[in-house]
Amino acid sequence: MAGGGAGRTKQMHFDERTVGDYRIYAGALESPKGDGYIAAMVVQRVHGVPGAPREAFRDESLACGHRWASAADALAYAIGRAQEAIRNRSPMLAC
């Protein structure tokens, strides 16, 4: 494995927040090559639907796996994309 050897543990950073009826879970995962962070998100609808919480959207490699220089940048992107989808009632949202 580049940049740290076989025993190196990958770093993950998480953030979560509630926006209206939805809960956003965002993650910044260290890239497999160790050259930045990949953004990921899960959006759950937590109010207003039977059987809540219910997953509304998931993307584990936002922006086609673009690598951000910092975990904070990747998290900010993931949160921003989720908020945009919720605000615009995007067709991406399953419920």
Side-chain angles (χ1 to χ4, degrees):
M1 195 180 332
R8 185 164 184 245
T9 303
K10 295 292 182 189
Q11 295 294 313
M12 293 182 275
H13 303 268
F14 297 97
D15 192 5
E16 58 184 83
R17 59 189 64 182
T18 300
V19 176
D21 290 341
Y22 296 89
R23 186 83 178 149
I24 301 168
Y25 299 92
L29 300 99
E30 190 174 348
S31 126
K33 295 181 181 181
D35 57 348
Y37 291 85
I38 297 170
M41 70 161 166
V42 175
V43 177
Q44 287 186 336
R45 185 144 185 201
V46 293
H47 302 290
V49 293
R54 185 183 302 174
E55 188 170 299
F57 184 73
R58 171 185 297 261
D59 191 333
E60 296 175 357
S61 188
L62 286 164
C64 299
H66 174 81
R67 291 182 303 275
W68 280 265
S70 72
D73 289 344
L75 285 171
Y77 182 79
I79 293 289
R81 290 287 294 155
Q83 289 175 329
E84 179 183 341
I86 293 165
R87 186 174 44 253
N88 294 335
R89 299 286 185 211
S90 171
M92 295 185 308
L93 296 175
C95 57

